Structure formats: structure tokens, C-alpha cells
Amino acid sequence: MPDCGKISRMHTNDHPIPFAQPARHRSLQAQVRWGSHVVTVGGDAPVRVQSMTNTDTGDAIGTAIQVKELALAGSEMVRITVDTPESAKAVPYVREQLDKMGVNVPLIGDFHYNGHRLLTEFPDCAQALSKYRINPGNVGKGDKHDKQFAQMIEAAIKYDKAVRIGVNWGSLDQELLAKLMDVNASRSQPWDAKQVMYQALVTSALESAELAERLGLARQQIILSCKMSGVQDLVAVYRELAKRTNHSLHLGLTEAGMGTKGTAASSVALGLLLQEGIGDTIRVSLTPQPGEARTQEVLIATEILQALGLRSFVPSVTACPGCGRTTSTTFQELAQEIDDFLRHQMPVWRKQYPGVENLKVAVMGCIVNGPGESKHADIGISLPGTGEAPAAPVFIDGEKALTLRGENIAKEFHDIVENYIQKKYTVSA
């Protein structure tokens, strides 16, 4: 009979397990500017978060308010729809309102079908925007395509703006697709239809970028995207795109969906690509649920980057999921309260307490993992589980600092977190 009473050997090797840090696709560095404020994209710059308003741009006040909300939530660039003369006329006023509120986030104009006319006929709009999004599939047909595309690129050159050439499989250039289908039909072993579509997306992006460069737009000021609504489709296309160009790349799962479906799909798709080092800006195209704030898409985007260890936007709160040991909801309520408090304070704290976004807080529900997780955090509390003594040890910088008891544990821990932040992150004059 074998001796099962103990582990007789250790399964080790002589090499450390490497940390899974994402590499970065070595892209050119673009600059998206408004006044003296510059957002660098690509190269060694951090992966940037982008979002888009869902207001009528003609409502300059309402649009400016939503842009401000998105910026405060962590969006570093905000795209707005520019589809009519009325919206084009409103863009300078949106910019003016933002400047009055001290919000310097760059605005991106989203153009389809008539962008060549709007950028030409409304120069104040062209100037107020920091970047233009052009969809090659929605720029003129036949002989008009290159002419109308050229008008938009010429505006970008004239006003020194960055451009995103954004291909989308829902509005793919049908003439290009038809040509590639004909080429495919002549192959001895034709590709399947999906592979041809992938090729059409990548070809549309690269050929449009080449045309923009021939027209005089600096290569580093061109950002590319090829958006799909399927996770595996998106990953396949961006892997190919990253092989074939050094342009900065914008990631986004288009029409991702609502709620948990959209959140999960976007997190998986963007997470896979970012882990491979692909992607310089991201947007989570989440359909808001009724009554849900537009800022939810920004929160998810920042959480994706923070979960991967690529960026830090807000202090992280570690909390256990709960089990039969934690029948009380106290730890859940405290974790939610602390998380909400930290997020609410961040717009002020970013300026007041540099580095506070790296703070790690643990709110744990019982003795099993509570003390250990709390020691790993900057500041943590291990609340009593079912049947445990009514005491909550608090750990600060890995050491047990004190034990809280009674009915005011939540309020006392809240004060401890505030005091810790003030002491650790206040910059000396």
C-alpha cells in the first residue's frame, strides 16, 4: 500500500514563473490636441480610454454636460456625432461650454456620408474638433469616393488634426468586398466567406491609410480600427492588422450589446488583444440599460485596463464573494460604500492626492482569507463571519494596526481610509 499520509516530494523547478505582463505592439505615436492639452496615443503612451455621447449634438448644453460626465469618469477622448448642418454648427459651442467648465478633453467628430461637406462648409466645426473619425465604407460611392475622402483628409491637414480611419463590418465598402470576392472565386481553393470579409476589412483600412498619406497627412497622425461584433472575429482581424502596420490601433467590439452580455463580450475581446500587446485606444460600445448612466461604458473600459495591470484609474477594492460563513451582508455593504466613496472622490483626488489611484483596499467577510488579503492590501479589514467573535482587525501597510468592535465599524473604517489617504498621498509644499 502506498503511503498517503504525507506529500513525499515537491513539484518545483529551478526557474521562476514569469509574470504575465502584456507586451506592447510597437506603433507610431499620434497626438490628439486641444489647446495646450495633448493626449498621446500609441508608442510608449498608456492605452487610452475613449467614449461616445448619445445626445443630439445640436443640443450644445446637453452634449457638453454629458461630455463632462464621461471625462470625469475617466474618458480621455470623447466622440460626438456630426451628421447635420445643425450639429456641425453646434460643435464650437459644445467646445466653448467645455472650456468654460475647465474640461479640456479632446472632442472627436464622428462623420458618415456627408463629412466632406460638413468639414468644408463649417470651418469652425473642423477647428473645434481634435480628431476626425472617417468610415471608408460611408464615404461616397464609385468615382466620388476618393474625392470626398480627400476633402476630409485635406481638412485634417489644414487644421492639424489626427484622423481615425474606422472600418466597420456593418458598413463595409461593398465595391471592395465584391472585388475581393471575384479574386477569391478565381482561386484554386477559395477561402470561405468570412475569411474574405476579414481580408476586406484589413485591406480597406490599410488602403485608406495609404491614400491619406499620399494626400499629405502625416503617417503618425493616422489611427486605424476594424470593428466587428463577434469576439473571435475581432481578435482574428486585429492580429492580422497588427502584423501588417505600425499605425496606432483603436479597439472596440462594435454593437457589443447590453448589460452582462456586452460587458463580458467586450472584456474578453479587448482583454485577449491587450494581453498580446495589441491596442492603443479602447472603447466599450455598451448599449445602456434603461436609466443607466452613459458613463458605465467608461467604467468598464477603465476596469479592463486596471484588471490587466496596464493602467490605474481608481483605488481597487478587494472583497470576497461571500459564502455560508458570511450570512451577514455587512461586508458587502461596506465594500460597496467604500468603492462608491473612492470613485466619487477621484475627480478631486486626482489633483489633490497624486498616486491615490494605486491604493489597494480589502474588505473581507470572515477569518478564512480575511487577514491574509488585508495584509496584502494597503489598508484592509477582516469582518467577523458567522459564529466568529464580533471583532474586525484592521491592517495598515501589512501590519495589524487595531481592532474595531461595536455598531460603528463601518463609519470608523471609512474614517481610517480617509486619514490614510491624506497622510500617504498629500504632497508636501
Side-chain angles (χ1 to χ4, degrees):
M1 294 287 291
D3 181 6
C4 298
K6 63 179 180 179
I7 298 174
S8 59
R9 54 185 178 170
M10 296 180 66
H11 294 274
T12 65
N13 66 42
D14 294 328
H15 303 289
I17 298 172
F19 178 65
Q21 178 66 40
R24 286 296 299 277
H25 168 67
R26 303 307 296 177
S27 58
L28 296 171
Q29 190 171 88
Q31 292 189 334
V32 182
R33 308 183 189 89
W34 178 247
S36 60
H37 181 63
V38 179
V39 176
T40 53
V41 174
D44 295 325
V47 179
R48 301 296 187 179
V49 174
Q50 185 176 305
S51 60
M52 185 174 185
T53 60
N54 61 356
T55 57
D56 176 0
T57 307
D59 174 9
I61 299 296
T63 299
I65 290 172
Q66 190 174 87
V67 170
K68 179 181 179 180
E69 292 170 350
L70 292 165
L72 290 176
S75 184
E76 294 160 294
M77 292 174 281
V78 178
R79 185 156 47 113
I80 60 177
T81 298
V82 188
D83 59 342
T84 64
E86 290 73 25
S87 63
K89 289 177 184 177
V91 168
Y93 296 102
V94 174
R95 182 73 266 173
E96 181 182 338
Q97 292 300 316
L98 291 169
D99 292 344
K100 287 180 179 178
M101 292 187 288
V103 179
N104 57 9
V105 62
L107 293 177
I108 303 166
D110 192 57
F111 295 100
H112 296 269
Y113 308 111
N114 60 355
H116 61 293
R117 286 196 296 105
L118 297 178
L119 285 170
T120 302
E121 295 173 9
F122 299 94
D124 289 347
C125 167
Q127 180 63 53
L129 295 168
S130 298
K131 178 181 165 189
Y132 308 152
R133 185 276 175 111
I134 304 173
N135 183 343
N138 291 337
V139 178
K141 302 300 179 185
D143 295 338
K144 294 181 180 179
H145 179 278
D146 287 1
K147 179 181 178 182
Q148 293 180 6
F149 183 84
Q151 287 179 270
M152 302 178 77
I153 296 302
E154 287 163 3
I157 295 169
K158 179 178 180 180
Y159 298 108
D160 192 22
K161 307 297 181 181
V163 168
R164 173 160 71 93
I165 295 174
V167 183
N168 193 307
W169 78 334
S171 51
L172 186 57
D173 185 335
Q174 294 302 302
E175 293 180 13
L176 173 61
L177 182 59
K179 288 178 182 178
L180 292 179
M181 285 291 190
D182 290 340
V183 171
N184 188 53
S186 66
R187 290 189 173 99
S188 57
Q189 292 183 324
W191 300 351
D192 64 37
K194 182 170 281 190
Q195 290 176 312
V196 178
M197 183 183 64
Y198 290 171
Q199 188 69 25
L201 284 157
V202 173
T203 299
S204 178
L206 295 178
E207 289 187 352
S208 297
E210 289 172 6
L211 176 56
E213 290 179 53
R214 289 200 302 272
L215 291 167
L217 185 63
R219 184 179 180 84
Q220 66 269 22
Q221 286 301 91
I222 301 171
I223 298 166
L224 300 183
S225 69
C226 288
K227 290 194 173 184
M228 315 277 280
S229 60
V231 171
Q232 297 293 1
D233 297 318
L234 190 83
V235 171
V237 166
Y238 271 90
R239 281 174 175 166
E240 182 64 20
L241 193 61
K243 289 178 185 176
R244 294 170 60 179
T245 185
N246 63 351
H247 286 100
S248 294
L249 302 179
H250 171 74
L251 301 185
L253 191 72
T254 188
E255 291 96 37
M258 298 180 69
T260 54
K261 187 269 182 186
T263 300
S266 292
S267 299
V268 171
L270 272 58
L272 282 169
L273 289 166
L274 290 166
Q275 183 65 22
E276 295 179 16
I278 299 171
D280 299 292
T281 69
I282 66 169
R283 184 202 169 197
V284 174
S285 299
L286 194 69
T287 304
Q289 298 189 72
E292 184 177 66
R294 187 66 169 179
T295 53
Q296 185 67 12
E297 69 173 54
V298 179
L299 299 182
I300 294 168
T302 58
E303 289 289 357
I304 291 170
L305 294 176
Q306 191 148 331
L308 287 168
L310 291 170
R311 301 278 306 269
S312 292
F313 293 90
V314 297
S316 63
V317 178
T318 300
C320 63
C323 65
R325 295 175 179 271
T326 56
T327 53
S328 168
T329 61
T330 302
F331 82 95
Q332 297 167 333
E333 293 163 357
L334 180 57
Q336 183 66 59
E337 180 185 334
I338 291 296
D339 192 62
D340 289 347
F341 170 70
L342 295 174
R343 287 186 181 280
H344 180 74
Q345 292 297 112
M346 277 308 294
V348 175
W349 283 354
R350 282 191 188 99
K351 298 178 181 178
Q352 190 174 357
Y353 301 122
V356 70
E357 65 274 8
N358 298 307
L359 176 72
K360 292 179 173 58
V361 180
V363 181
M364 303 299 292
C366 79
I367 200 171
V368 174
N369 290 322
E373 284 286 359
S374 297
K375 288 178 183 178
H376 290 308
D378 294 306
I379 181 168
I381 185 170
S382 179
L383 294 161
T386 305
E388 294 178 15
V394 174
F395 296 81
I396 298 176
D397 293 330
E399 301 292 335
K400 183 178 176 181
L402 71 159
T403 299
L404 301 180
R405 295 181 173 84
E407 298 180 355
N408 294 318
I409 286 178
K411 173 64 169 62
E412 292 174 19
F413 184 67
H414 193 286
D415 292 341
I416 291 169
V417 171
E418 282 196 82
N419 291 334
Y420 181 88
I421 290 170
Q422 291 173 2
K423 290 179 181 179
K424 182 169 182 176
Y425 296 102
T426 296
V427 178
S428 301

